[in-house]
Amino acid sequence: MKYFIHFILLFQVVALSAQTITFGDQTDLYLGDGTIFFFGGNTSLKGPVNNSGTIVSYSDLDFTTNRNVGNIKFNGVLDQELSGDTLDVGNFIVDKQGRLNLLTDQVIVSGGLETINGVVDAAEEELLVSGSFPSGGDGYVDGKLLGISRGNPVTFPMGVNGAPNYMTISNLPSGSIVSVECKVPIQNELLPDEDMVGISDEVEWILKVSGDSVEAQVSVNFSGVDLQNLSNGEPIRSLAYEPAIVIFSKEDTLYHALSGAVTNADANFSSGTINSTDNIWINDSGRRLGIALIPIIVEPTFFIPKAFAPKALQEDNRIFRAYFAGALVSSISIKVYDSFNKEVYSLNDSGSELDISQYGWNGVLSSGLDAPEGVYYYQVRIVAESQEYSKTGSVLLVK
């Protein structure tokens, strides 16, 4: 069906048939301010479009060579397609079931991008938003999204595999153009440092900025993440755990956790909000961020092992030392005695922030000989943040 007339629409609500509709080259479509125009079927707009109202589509929508297309909204039940060259859109609203596939060179949103329901497929970085990102929806952008900062926090409504995973970037200089890509990471590239249980292999974000590097803070509102089963993780004993945003470091090819706070997390840590307090640098080569499970210290923890073996296969078992976490250590003293009450090892050190993992007895006597197997007795004293912690007891040296 083709129309070769001028459409001038000043009514508040206008609807066309659910049939496939093609507007010819000579057909003008004019929508007055406040007019809502519904397309029920696949629609191709070859003629000029002057839209001061809102075009609502329940099926595929092709703007062909039109560029300035005004406000558009997608309300379909099935998957839909948005076609055209470069499209300048006012408000871009998606409130539908299924996916909206962008078959365009680029969509530039000068009003607001609102993802109420549904998935916007933007795998080729086709979506640039210079307006606002109204939050609170269940829909999301799958792929890449560019946003222009106006000096306020910018929320990127991202997601993957049916789960919204929004990211907010704060403290951006006004005018910064930031790209956020949300994707499923490659599992064998997720290498956690020793301070985390493991990293989720279900979602990651890649952040890039056009032009000069910028320093910013990030937070995520995540869902659909299983942090109870981390195939790349290692068990870490702790009284409590929590999710954290982690960032990849090129220097050591490991991920490290950013400091922050968690809110609204459910019992299984499958959803919640993480607000980072650390600043990160974003450049044009990209920064990779993910979600990990980390142990948290409820209160200072002081632990002395019951045995050690200088020739053990695991390095941590070769040294008799103190384990302390939860406060900064400023002083440490260790004394070890044999069964005849003869001192066989002694150390005493102090400083602003001591790394006590570097202090311990390797089972070698002052003579240079290996100490015999048996029971030894210790006195350990630690000062941390003006509080003194001490333990005495026995330890078994195993050959």
Side-chain angles (χ1 to χ4, degrees), residues 10-284:
L10 302 174
F11 306 104
Q12 288 298 108
V13 178
V14 179
L16 283 186
S17 160
Q19 303 291 329
T20 298
I21 300 172
T22 300
F23 283 65
D25 295 343
Q26 305 303 315
T27 305
D28 295 355
L29 177 62
Y30 177 89
L31 302 187
D33 187 24
T35 302
I36 303 175
F37 194 73
F38 293 89
F39 289 114
N42 295 340
T43 303
S44 178
L45 299 170
K46 295 183 177 180
V49 173
N50 189 336
N51 176 19
S52 297
T54 301
I55 294 175
V56 180
S57 177
Y58 286 81
S59 193
D60 296 347
L61 185 58
D62 186 0
F63 283 100
T64 62
T65 59
N66 284 290
R67 174 159 183 159
N68 296 294
V69 298
N71 304 322
I72 55 177
K73 182 177 182 179
F74 289 89
N75 272 136
V77 175
L78 302 177
D79 290 350
Q80 295 171 256
E81 294 179 354
L82 173 61
S83 303
D85 296 328
T86 297
L87 300 180
D88 287 330
V89 181
N91 293 321
F92 190 24
I93 303 172
V94 181
D95 186 7
K96 64 183 290 351
Q97 298 179 32
R99 301 177 71 86
L100 172 63
N101 300 305
L102 303 184
L103 306 181
T104 62
D105 291 335
Q106 189 177 51
V107 178
I108 303 172
V109 182
S110 59
L113 171 65
E114 191 169 0
T115 52
I116 301 172
N117 286 294
V119 178
V120 180
D121 189 338
E124 299 303 322
E125 204 167 14
E126 299 149 325
L127 200 53
L128 169 63
V129 180
S130 61
S132 62
F133 294 80
S135 58
D138 294 322
Y140 62 85
V141 175
D142 184 359
K144 301 176 182 178
L145 176 60
L146 288 88
I148 300 179
S149 168
R150 298 305 180 197
N152 298 318
V154 182
T155 296
F156 292 80
M158 311 303 297
V160 68
N161 284 346
N165 290 290
Y166 287 20
M167 171 166 283
T168 299
I169 306 178
S170 305
N171 299 335
L172 286 169
S174 182
S176 300
I177 301 178
V178 179
S179 167
V180 178
E181 179 181 4
C182 188
K183 57 181 288 191
V184 177
I186 299 174
Q187 183 173 341
N188 59 14
E189 294 180 355
L190 300 175
L191 302 176
D193 66 18
E194 61 182 6
D195 295 326
M196 65 184 70
V197 178
I199 307 173
S200 170
D201 59 3
E202 295 173 277
V203 61
E204 75 171 7
W205 300 264
I206 299 177
L207 278 60
K208 296 182 181 180
V209 65
S210 299
D212 296 334
S213 300
V214 298
E215 188 177 15
Q217 290 181 345
V218 297
S219 65
V220 296
N221 188 346
F222 67 96
S223 62
V225 176
D226 184 6
L227 291 177
Q228 301 299 311
N229 298 290
L230 297 168
S231 58
N232 59 344
E234 295 289 341
I236 299 178
R237 293 181 181 178
S238 179
L239 296 176
Y241 303 87
E242 68 178 11
I245 302 173
V246 294
I247 186 168
F248 176 76
S249 170
K250 293 182 179 179
E251 285 72 22
D252 56 10
T253 66
L254 298 176
Y255 281 82
H256 303 280
L258 301 176
S259 299
V262 180
T263 59
N264 304 321
D266 61 17
N268 295 319
F269 303 132
S270 62
S271 65
T273 301
I274 309 174
N275 301 300
S276 171
T277 56
D278 286 345
N279 288 341
I280 66 170
W281 281 96
I282 308 172
N283 52 35
D284 58 1

